[in-house]
Every structure is written in structure tokens, then in C-alpha cells.
Amino acid sequence: MELFQAKDHYILQQGERALWCSRRDGGLQLRPATDLLLAWNPICLGLVEGVIGKIQLHSDLPWWLILIRQKASVGKLPGDHEVCKVTKIAVLSLSEMEPQDLELELCKKHHFGINKPEKIIPSPDDSKFLLKTLTHIKSNVSAPNKKKVKESKEKEKLERRLLEELLKMFMDSESFYYSLTYDLTNSVQRQSAGERDLRPLWQKVDDRFFWNKYMIQDLTEIGTPDVDFWIIPIIQGFVQIEELVVNYNESSDDEKSSPETPPQESTCVDDIHPRFLVALISRRSRHRAGMRYKRRGVDKNGNVANYVETEQLIHVHNHTLSFTQTRGSVPVFWSQVGYRYNPRPRLDKSEKETVAYFCAHFEEQLKIYKKQVIINLVDQAGREKIIGDAYLKQVLLFNNSHLTYVSFDFHEHCRGMKFENVQTLTDAIYDIILDMKWCWVDQAGVICKQEGIFRVNCMDCLDRTNVVQAAIARVVMEQQLKKLGVMPPEQPLPVKCNRIYQIMWANNGDSISRQYAGTAALKGDFTRTGERKLAGVMKDGVNSANRYYLNRFKDAYRQAVIDLMQGIPVTEDLYSIFTKEKEHEALHKENQRSHQELISQLLQSYMKLLLPDNEKFHGGWALIDCDPSLIDATHRDVDVLLLLSNSAYYVAYYDDEVDKVNQYQRLSLEDLEKIEIGPEPTLFGKPKFSCMRLHYRYKEASGYFHTLRAVMRNPEEDGKGRAVNLMKTSLASDLKTKALWPREKNF
């Protein structure tokens, strides 16, 4: 559709339809296309794909009109329904008087042979006014005092920061999807129940997942059939659609395909081998939406944070089979004050105060899904125990026969990267999976329905949750394909099909994680490949650190934008964050200096305590133990002091809460077998840390190791490679050192 800019309006036009948006008050009007002749000097700015809605970023700031500037086709669902992903948006200030360069695709009808749209030529009376923004006008009144100038600058800065977050939400995360002909908010089962509903698409959507409902409210309130064309329900979440070929004769060709994208040859179509379409659709609830440390637990309406419904859809010939699961924060009042790395969870209301809201949550869930099987993955010991215990107590108080509670301590069962042990869980609940069934429809109607749903959670409902949901969904898919005769009864999924399937679930986990925590999912390499690798462990370390950084201040702006998109008043004083950021930067630098002084003192003290007189001290470093069994978003980094002498090295574990070393190991250099070294992979920019794995023998047995990474000090002295380099030069020349990762490569 074409976008025009006139003196008082922005005008969207397609065919005989036109939508006028006032540049004065943001009002929307449906008008015939011929009314374009009545507009004052309309100029075509280019082409857009549709309307997302309007948003006011702050009560002191103007309204903005958000348009879909560019889309990407994700694929087609059964029935030839195309699904699109929003890749770029255009944001128009409805009080911005000067012409804007939106970088839109040009309309050939109005811009034949022209690279850029021409600018509006203002009338003499309006020229000065048009060249100023509203904030400029307010700040340039006669004889402004310093206070007004400062306030104006703060408004401009706040507007810039919020607008930046809005653009990043839509354009960086790539997490908004829509279809003009298919209801992405409803599962196949819910759609089949309402197949005789003849209302327009936007009126049939599931309110929980209609993400732009508030932003498009001015249109939905018009109430005439003509408005249906302009309303596009958008979901936040994830959609991936693939066609798989069941070919047991093909061998896996991992070397020719990247871990992020399926091998091209696996999607080829042939007439010999059975093939099927698989789609993964995740829908994030707009209720209690937000960022990890800003939204936890349940609210007073029974909504929980990070609530996502994920539907796995299989289509073979005329048969469509669907299996749905949900995830959501533990529905009690709890939080983590996130200004230190991985803060301890705490309960914010008593057991008695929580009961009503816990009940409200599950009463709605049972109303929608009939039965619930809770899979609780939080640790049954340590800092997570308080949340797990509170959850179980509420389930017992709720005492509903339609609610089943299963506890699986993920970290205990999968200790040491053994995530394949999740099969212990799927084996234990295998009968429950079969009894739950799945939705199955064909051209004649519904063959069977899914009876109940798995509600999976960990602390964040991200990493562990995604691994378990993928495992459950795989069991279901194999049963479905065998039922349809696509797979032999005793055969597993072919290697290439399995690889693409794992990639889909890993991509799903990454997308949901970016939306809630700001970084990709931890344990993504296991979901992609079925194996936990050292490179993935180190990537987890970066992602955990990134989540911590993002939480500090950036999440406040992102949370504000999410709330405003949903029409929720922003309670946090965003202006005060500017001051807090400056104060925190100064405090952080001071803390860094203090921390370095503390480290120096600790190294000197423990050198004297641990090293005998006959050993010569070569050096000491403060490092992070990134042992695979310790790395996780829900566990804090383990600080260690590494001391090197002429005959041994010492790994001393430092507990910062009690400010002392609580245990240490002394390992002879003669027992050191090899060192693996390399820069820590990172998703963002250059690697920040060097990592090394020290392999050693214990009681003549091999297979033991320490995995350590450097602690960032400051840009001038970041500690990269210092421990590694000194240890390399200090060890015997015949020591086998293996560089696993090229230093210049950025994972």
C-alpha cells in the first residue's frame, strides 16, 4: 500500500480504500481513495505493508504511528496460508512537522526513475513552523531559562532512548509475526472448535496473544466492516515452517551445513520418500509481558510472566496434527532485585496472601485447557528451593483433580552437561503423554482432540524449559508420524529430519530468550545437536553475563516500551534513570578499583598460606570457574584464585559472601596432561575473555579438568591470555597444548 504525506495528514491507500491519520491529534479516519484529491499537496513517500498501530512513548511526548515497512515470508501453513515476519518498521511522529526520510521502497507509479521521494515544499507562512519539532518549539520560546532548556533536552533524550528500544524490539529481535488469512493466536484445536464463526479474523483472535490490540484500538472502535481490511493481528513469539523428507538412506552431512540453518539438501522434494510439513508456533502472552528482572511470578489478575503457548504442527497430505504446550513463571509472588549478578529469589507475599491469585491463574488455565500437567524443573536444593517449595504448597492447597504436579530437578539429573538424561523424565511421563493425545483434523473435521496440556517451567522458563518441551514434543511427533504411516514403527526419526527438528526448537528457545532476557538461550547447542559441547558452555557464560548487563538499566526502557504498547501506565521514573546511570558508572569504576586491590591482597595472602617454603611462586590470577556443571543462568559465577608455582598449580574457590576461600586443590604439574585454550565465543562483538581447560590426572586416572576464564578488569588491562601465556611459558617444553579455537574466530 502507498503512504502519502500531506500538510495535515499521513494517508495510507490501497485500491479504493484509504486511511487518514491526523498529524495534529493522531485521529484515524476511513475515507474513499478519491479523497486524496482533497489533500493539500500529497506526496507519495513509498510503499508499506500494513499498520501496526499508534503509541505514545511518554505523556510529555507526541504520538507515533507504527507501520510495517518490510516483511519476510516465513512459509505457508496448511491451506496455503502465508505467514510473515516483521523485519523493519517505519515510525512517523504525529507532531513532527518537518518531512521525514523513512527509507521506504518507492512506488513505481509515483516515483518512476526517481531514487528518493521528493520533499514537501511548505507554503511561506508554514515554512518556519514545519522545520521545527514540537520539542524544538517548546525549547525555543523567548528568553528560555536554564531549567526549561534542561527539561527540553531531557525530553529529547528520553524520546530518543524509548524510540531506539521500540525500533530494536521490532527490527533486531525479529519476533513479531502475522498472517492476513490465518489466525496465529489460536491453536488448530481452538480454530476447529470455532470453524463456523464467520466474523473477520481480528475479531476471532485469542485476546492473550493479540499483541497490538491496544495500539490498534482506534481502528477497532470504529465498528464498521470497512475497517477490517486495516486491522492486522500481530503476535510476538516465534514461527518456523519446514518440509522434511523421511529418507533413511541419506547420511548426515553436518560439515556442509551450519548449526543455525538446516542443510539445503534435506528440504528437497522427491516422490519416493514420504515427506511432511512441520511448523513451530510460539505465542507470547501480552499480559504481564516484560523483561526478566522486571516481571516475575504472578500478578493480581492471575497472569504470569513469560507465559508462552507453543504449538507443534504436523501436516501430511490432508491431515493436520497439532500438539500444544505452555510455559510460564511460577505463579506465586516472587522477584529478584537484579542489580547484582543472579540475585537471590525472594517471596514477596505470604502463602495465605498468594492463594487467591494462584487459584485465579489455574482456574483460567483449566477453563482453556481442561487439564494441566505441571513439569517443575527448578532445583530442589539451593537458592531455587524457596520458589519450588512455595509452588508445591500452593498446588496442594489448590487440591484439584485436574492438576498433576511433576517435579524434575534438571540440574541434578543433567549434571556435567548430560542433558540427554532428560529422557529419564520423558520415560517417566510417557503414559501421561500418550493419554493426553493430540489434536487431529482432516477435511471431514476433527478426528481427536488433545486432552490437557503440559505446563513446563524453570526459574526463567527459558533454557531448561525449552530442552524439556522439545523432548516431550519429539516423543509426540514420532508417535504421530508412526500413526500416519510416515515412519516405520521401530525406527527413530531420520538423522537429517532430526537435525532440522532440533534446530527449529533451538531457534524457538533463542527467540523466546531474547524477548524475555535479552540474549539467546543457554543450552542452545544441546537443543540443536543433541550434544553439549565446550564451545556452547562458554557461549552460555557470555549470555549469562549479557543478561546481567542488560538488566542494569537497558531493561527499564524496554519494559517501559512494552507497557506502553499494552496501554499500561509506566510507574518507573524514567527521567531519574539518566542520573542513576551516571552514578552507577562512577560507582562501577570505583568498585573495579577496590576489587582489583582486594584481589591483589588475596593473592598475596593465599600465596603465603597455601604454598610451602620449597615452592617458588610464579604468579596468581582471579578467574571464573566455567565448569560445565556450574554454568547456568540461575547460578552465579564461581570465583577462583589460580596460583602457579614451579612445581604445582592451586585452584582456590573464593566465596564472596563470606569473603574467604572455602576450599582449594593442589595439582602437581607432573599430573597436568594438556591445556586447551581459546577466546570465549560471543554473540556480540569481539570476544571479551580467554578460556582454558586444564586436563589432569587424579590417582593415575585421566579425564579430570578445570575450565577457567579471565575476569574483565578494564579495556586497557582486560587480563586476556595472561594466565594462559604465563602457564604456557612456565610448563615443560614437551607439554601438549592444543588450540581448540582460532583466536581470530568469533563464535
Side-chain angles (χ1 to χ4, degrees):
M1 63 184 66
E2 299 162 314
L3 172 65
F4 293 88
Q5 179 178 314
K7 177 183 176 182
D8 297 322
H9 293 85
Y10 286 110
I11 303 167
L12 290 158
Q13 183 171 311
Q14 183 163 333
E16 298 179 355
R17 302 181 178 91
L19 176 66
W20 289 47
C21 183
S22 171
R23 298 175 67 186
R24 302 292 183 182
D25 59 14
L28 299 176
Q29 286 182 301
L30 299 179
R31 296 174 67 167
T34 52
D35 279 8
L36 185 64
L37 300 172
L38 305 177
W40 188 86
N41 191 25
I43 298 296
C44 181
L45 299 178
L47 300 175
V48 296
E49 300 293 340
V51 181
I52 294 175
K54 294 191 313 179
I55 189 171
Q56 188 179 26
L57 296 174
H58 197 274
S59 58
D60 296 337
L61 301 172
W63 284 87
W64 294 79
L65 178 66
I66 309 174
L67 305 173
I68 302 171
R69 175 177 142 205
Q70 196 174 94
K71 67 179 182 181
S73 178
V74 175
K76 291 186 177 180
L77 291 171
D80 207 35
H81 298 289
E82 185 178 33
V83 179
C84 296
K85 174 169 59 179
V86 178
T87 56
K88 292 183 181 178
I89 62 170
V91 183
L92 303 172
S93 173
L94 299 181
S95 293
E96 183 76 314
M97 293 299 105
E98 70 176 7
Q100 302 173 27
D101 185 5
L102 302 173
E103 300 180 358
L104 300 179
E105 180 184 346
L106 298 183
C107 166
K108 294 179 180 179
K109 182 168 65 176
H110 297 102
H111 298 284
F112 182 76
I114 301 175
N115 293 325
K116 287 189 175 182
E118 59 185 295
K119 301 274 187 177
I120 290 180
I121 302 174
S123 65
D125 292 338
D126 293 330
S127 59
K128 291 182 180 179
F129 181 69
L130 287 171
L131 292 174
K132 296 181 183 291
T133 64
L134 181 65
T135 50
H136 284 151
I137 294 166
K138 289 183 177 181
S139 64
N140 287 314
V141 294
S142 57
N145 58 41
K146 290 183 179 180
K147 184 177 179 181
K148 287 185 177 180
V149 171
K150 183 180 178 182
E151 288 176 353
S152 177
K153 287 182 178 179
E154 285 184 343
K155 286 180 184 178
E156 287 183 15
K157 184 178 179 182
L158 178 60
E159 183 177 34
R160 192 163 57 246
R161 292 292 293 269
L162 292 174
L163 188 59
E164 181 182 290
E165 284 302 318
L166 177 67
L167 291 168
K168 285 181 179 179
M169 273 193 67
F170 279 93
M171 295 164 68
D172 287 357
S173 65
E174 295 190 345
S175 59
F176 291 91
Y177 299 82
Y178 69 94
S179 174
L180 299 177
T181 58
Y182 187 86
D183 183 3
L184 288 175
T185 69
N186 275 305
S187 64
V188 170
Q189 183 157 313
R190 290 198 296 271
Q191 289 186 52
S192 62
E195 60 185 355
R196 296 183 181 180
D197 190 342
L198 301 179
R199 292 179 298 167
L201 179 66
W202 69 270
Q203 292 184 10
K204 295 187 289 186
V205 296
D206 190 320
D207 182 75
R208 296 175 295 168
F209 310 118
F210 188 177
W211 253 75
N212 58 328
K213 179 181 179 180
Y214 176 77
M215 291 186 285
I216 209 79
Q217 189 173 343
D218 284 5
L219 281 178
T220 59
E221 290 177 349
I222 290 177
T224 61
D226 294 341
V227 80
D228 299 339
F229 172 81
W230 300 100
I231 300 174
I232 302 175
I234 291 175
I235 67 166
Q236 186 186 34
F238 175 77
V239 181
Q240 187 169 344
I241 304 168
E242 299 288 344
E243 187 174 56
L244 306 185
V245 178
V246 182
N247 184 357
Y248 288 96
N249 297 323
E250 285 185 313
S251 60
S252 177
D253 194 4
D254 293 348
E255 295 179 358
K256 295 183 180 179
S257 59
S258 73
E260 272 71 34
T261 57
Q264 292 297 317
E265 57 267 31
S266 64
T267 58
C268 66
V269 177
D270 62 60
D271 298 325
I272 301 173
H273 303 287
R275 51 192 169 90
F276 63 97
L277 180 142
V278 58
L280 204 56
I281 304 171
S282 282
R283 316 167 175 101
R284 174 181 294 280
S285 174
R286 66 187 184 88
H287 302 302
R288 196 155 177 73
M291 304 306 292
R292 182 190 188 205
Y293 286 110
K294 299 292 181 181
R295 293 290 182 269
R296 291 290 209 191
V298 72
D299 66 13
K300 293 186 177 180
N301 295 314
N303 301 310
V304 295
N306 199 25
Y307 183 90
V308 182
E309 180 186 82
T310 299
E311 179 181 21
Q312 181 176 280
L313 187 149
I314 305 292
H315 183 72
V316 182
H317 303 301
N318 295 320
H319 294 265
T320 302
L321 296 86
S322 157
F323 184 74
T324 305
Q325 303 179 74
T326 62
R327 67 178 76 189
S329 190
V330 175
V332 300
F333 290 94
W334 67 281
S335 62
Q336 285 176 286
V337 180
Y339 288 97
R340 63 168 288 176
Y341 187 73
N342 188 35
R344 285 184 176 276
R346 68 185 187 192
L347 294 175
D348 297 325
K349 287 187 183 293
S350 68
E351 182 181 296
K352 186 176 180 181
E353 292 174 304
T354 302
V355 169
Y357 308 105
F358 183 93
C359 292
H361 173 71
F362 274 107
E363 282 169 0
E364 185 197 28
Q365 294 298 297
L366 293 174
K367 182 179 178 182
I368 298 170
Y369 302 110
K370 311 307 178 188
K371 296 179 182 178
Q372 290 264 305
V373 178
I374 297 169
I375 308 291
N376 183 18
L377 305 175
V378 304
D379 293 352
Q380 295 174 21
R383 62 175 59 202
E384 296 183 4
K385 187 176 187 297
I386 186 175
I387 304 300
D389 289 349
Y391 198 178
L392 178 57
K393 287 177 183 177
Q394 291 295 329
V395 170
L396 295 173
L397 289 170
F398 189 55
N399 192 26
N400 191 301
S401 60
H402 296 297
L403 198 65
T404 303
Y405 181 87
V406 178
S407 181
F408 182 79
D409 190 328
F410 187 97
H411 289 132
E412 180 64 29
H413 286 87
C414 303
R415 185 179 298 276
M417 305 195 299
K418 301 295 184 182
F419 293 159
E420 63 271 19
N421 290 347
V422 167
Q423 187 175 344
T424 305
L425 172 63
T426 55
D427 288 346
I429 62 173
Y430 186 76
D431 290 342
I432 298 177
I433 296 173
L434 295 184
D435 289 344
M436 191 174 287
K437 304 177 185 176
W438 52 78
C439 176
W440 185 353
V441 298
D442 64 6
Q443 290 178 318
V446 179
I447 296 174
C448 72
K449 293 182 179 181
Q450 182 176 336
E451 298 176 1
I453 202 164
F454 285 104
R455 185 198 190 278
V456 187
N457 73 273
C458 50
M459 291 296 282
D460 299 329
C461 304
L462 295 176
D463 316 313
R464 290 171 279 181
T465 296
N466 201 65
V467 170
V468 169
Q469 285 195 335
I472 293 172
R474 178 186 169 131
V475 172
V476 172
M477 185 176 73
E478 289 185 347
Q479 289 296 320
Q480 291 171 335
L481 294 176
K482 289 172 183 178
K483 204 85 171 176
L484 292 167
V486 177
M487 273 177 59
E490 302 302 322
Q491 286 275 14
L493 200 64
V495 173
K496 286 195 173 181
C497 288
N498 184 55
R499 177 166 171 74
I500 297 172
Y501 175 79
Q502 288 174 326
I503 289 170
M504 291 178 70
W505 271 96
N507 291 342
N508 177 68
D510 283 351
S511 184
I512 293 172
S513 181
R514 287 191 186 98
Q515 293 158 28
Y516 187 51
T519 63
L522 310 183
K523 306 174 184 62
D525 59 318
F526 174 78
T527 315
R528 290 178 195 281
T529 65
E531 296 179 0
R532 192 75 173 118
K533 298 179 180 178
L534 180 61
V537 172
M538 294 193 300
K539 183 182 288 186
D540 286 357
V542 173
N543 287 341
S544 293
N546 282 339
R547 290 181 183 179
Y548 171 56
Y549 162 74
L550 290 169
N551 167 62
R552 286 184 175 271
F553 294 108
K554 189 177 177 182
D555 280 2
Y557 300 109
R558 177 67 60 91
Q559 185 64 55
V561 170
I562 292 170
D563 287 344
L564 292 166
M565 287 173 67
Q566 305 306 327
I568 300 170
V570 177
T571 55
E572 190 163 2
D573 183 3
L574 297 177
Y575 287 118
S576 68
I577 295 178
F578 299 145
T579 306
K580 288 180 181 178
E581 282 180 309
K582 292 178 181 178
E583 291 175 352
H584 178 75
E585 286 174 7
L587 182 62
H588 183 62
K589 289 179 181 177
E590 180 61 34
N591 285 342
Q592 277 190 321
R593 287 192 292 269
S594 301
H595 187 61
Q596 289 177 41
E597 291 173 3
L598 175 61
I599 288 171
S600 298
Q601 294 172 6
L602 285 169
L603 290 171
Q604 292 297 321
S605 299
Y606 285 100
M607 175 193 73
K608 296 175 182 177
L609 285 172
L610 300 179
L611 269 66
D613 295 336
N614 61 344
E615 288 187 21
K616 183 180 178 181
F617 179 65
H618 277 311
W621 304 267
L623 301 172
I624 298 295
D625 188 331
C626 46
D627 185 276
S629 65
L630 298 174
I631 285 293
D632 191 83
T634 58
H635 287 83
R636 63 184 179 88
D637 282 339
V638 179
D639 296 316
V640 297
L641 301 176
L642 177 64
L643 306 177
L644 178 65
S645 76
N646 60 324
S647 58
Y649 74 90
Y650 297 75
V651 179
Y653 292 85
Y654 177 76
D655 188 339
D656 59 355
E657 292 187 3
V658 296
D659 196 22
K660 68 178 182 180
V661 168
N662 53 23
Q663 60 177 312
Y664 77 93
Q665 272 184 289
R666 180 189 183 277
L667 295 152
S668 171
L669 293 182
E670 293 179 355
D671 291 327
L672 189 60
E673 296 181 316
K674 66 178 177 178
I675 306 176
E676 296 174 334
I677 62 172
E680 185 172 40
T682 175
L683 296 175
F684 308 100
K686 296 180 180 179
K688 295 181 179 179
F689 306 106
S690 286
C691 287
M692 63 180 175
R693 174 174 276 188
L694 309 178
H695 291 261
Y696 63 92
R697 293 186 301 273
Y698 178 70
K699 294 183 178 179
E700 302 303 321
S702 298
Y704 295 90
F705 58 83
H706 290 109
T707 308
L708 308 172
R709 65 174 169 84
V711 180
M712 177 68 81
R713 291 178 173 87
N714 57 55
E716 290 76 28
E717 185 183 3
D718 64 4
K720 283 186 180 180
R722 295 177 185 275
V724 174
N725 291 332
L726 185 52
M727 290 195 72
K728 284 172 67 180
T729 57
S730 300
L731 297 176
S733 59
D734 61 342
L735 183 66
K736 295 178 182 179
T737 302
K738 180 182 178 184
L740 284 183
W741 313 282
R743 286 194 175 276
E744 66 275 7
K745 183 157 185 178
N746 179 11
F747 282 77

